[in-house]
Amino acid sequence: MGPNSAISIPKPGLFSFEECLWFLNRNYDECLHHINGSSITKALFLDGECLVFTLSDEGKNISVKIETPDPSPRAPEKLKAFIIDWLDMERNVSPFYRLLKAHPALDYMTRDFAGLRLISIADLHETLCWCIIGQQINLGFAYKLKRRLVEGFGEFAEINGTRYWIFPRPEVLASLSVEQLKQLQFSRQKAEYIIHISKQFCEGNISKEKLFALPTTEERRKSLTAIRGVGIWTANYALMKTLKDLNCIPHGDIGLLNALSNHELIKDRKDSKAIEKLFSKFRGWESYLVFYLWRSLAVPAFQSK
DNA sequence: ATCCAGGGGTCAC
DNA sequence: GTGACCCATGGA
């Protein structure tokens, strides 16, 4: 491990590693990263190179340690860019905080969730598959299904006896049969959607680059919902989590509705006028507001539901 | 047993 | 464009 594998990333203002860590370590059985005390370890492919890295808090900086032996010369630089993007470290969120502070029911978030960033999922294929998995089932079971998929068909790097998994490649999922996924307790519908979406990636019909190339959110949304299994909720989730489009609201999301209800911001699940009214005050920061509202679901006072 | 869960497709109007 | 209905599967 030479000096090249030590990387430091300066923390921006209104950024809390602890809050981001909290999000990544919610009470779910996540299989794509490991939390150990106050550090995160994850594996990924960067331009085809498999890297395992550990993030930890260094006060004014975040330190990144590459665990994989013999990383390529450009690995540190690419990894740094990945992490800045992953934890949304380059964004100035102070305008969002000003909007929160101006809202009596949401003001507390600027203190209780201070420094939380919109943590992304870089891989569009992974995001869409994750959406399909999570559609209409409880999150606990969704994470279970994801783990089965990842450990069944993904790849891993092993460091000191621990396996760090990477989400399966589109080519692998595209070649599966519906029956193989049904054995993992995927419904027929989920199995068909995932195989179909994976094939679309293999054939080059979908890619993150192609989506980015579209000029407007509306065109990106249309392009996504044209895919079988991708509805408006999934499209908005993917735009928010992978393209970091900040104008996206996953309408109908049960967690979002529960959070709005907890804050007494809506009367019932069909109160779309109240939802529109709230989000109209957060133009340009809708996705951040959604993310913070999801965060609020873990607040003990809102847990009794 | 019954209802719900970070939806989506289809089909009628 | 909107609404009713079906699809699936585990968890509480």
Side-chain angles (χ1 to χ4, degrees), chain A residues 41-197:
Chain A
T41 305
K42 179 177 177 62
L44 80 169
F45 283 114
L46 277 183
D47 296 336
E49 180 182 11
C50 178
L51 292 171
V52 178
F53 65 92
T54 298
L55 293 186
S56 44
D57 201 336
E58 252 189 355
K60 292 189 172 179
N61 300 312
I62 288 179
S63 80
V64 188
K65 182 185 168 209
I66 298 181
E67 309 279 2
T68 329
D70 306 317
S72 70
R74 290 200 58 206
E77 170 194 338
K78 286 190 280 192
L79 193 52
K80 182 175 176 178
F82 170 84
I83 290 160
I84 288 172
D85 188 63
W86 185 33
L87 303 182
D88 205 33
M89 296 177 76
E90 224 158 42
R91 196 177 308 281
N92 173 14
V93 295
S94 48
F96 174 57
Y97 272 58
R98 280 198 290 277
L99 295 173
L100 284 177
K101 280 178 184 160
H103 195 294
L106 304 176
D107 167 50
Y108 79 96
M109 292 179 167
T110 65
R111 297 179 296 275
D112 291 13
F113 310 152
L116 175 65
R117 296 300 179 115
L118 204 169
I119 294 169
S120 68
I121 303 171
D123 183 334
L124 182 61
H125 173 247
E126 177 186 330
T127 307
L128 293 178
C129 289
W130 173 230
C131 286
I132 299 299
I133 290 173
Q135 283 169 6
Q136 196 62 11
I137 61 173
N138 65 73
L139 270 183
F141 182 51
Y143 275 96
K144 207 177 276 184
L145 289 180
K146 182 167 89 164
R147 178 177 287 280
R148 288 178 192 157
L149 188 71
V150 168
E151 294 185 351
F153 306 107
E155 294 162 68
F156 63 86
E158 195 161 330
I159 305 287
N160 297 329
T162 301
R163 290 181 173 186
Y164 297 95
W165 289 92
I166 298 174
F167 196 80
R169 298 169 188 269
E171 309 85 68
V172 176
L173 297 187
S175 71
L176 299 181
S177 67
V178 170
E179 296 311 317
Q180 278 176 286
L181 287 176
K182 283 197 72 173
Q183 283 176 8
L184 306 185
Q185 289 176 283
F186 282 63
S187 66
R188 169 165 298 275
Q189 206 170 39
K190 286 188 196 304
E192 286 172 354
Y193 288 165
I194 284 175
I195 293 166
H196 175 254
I197 285 176

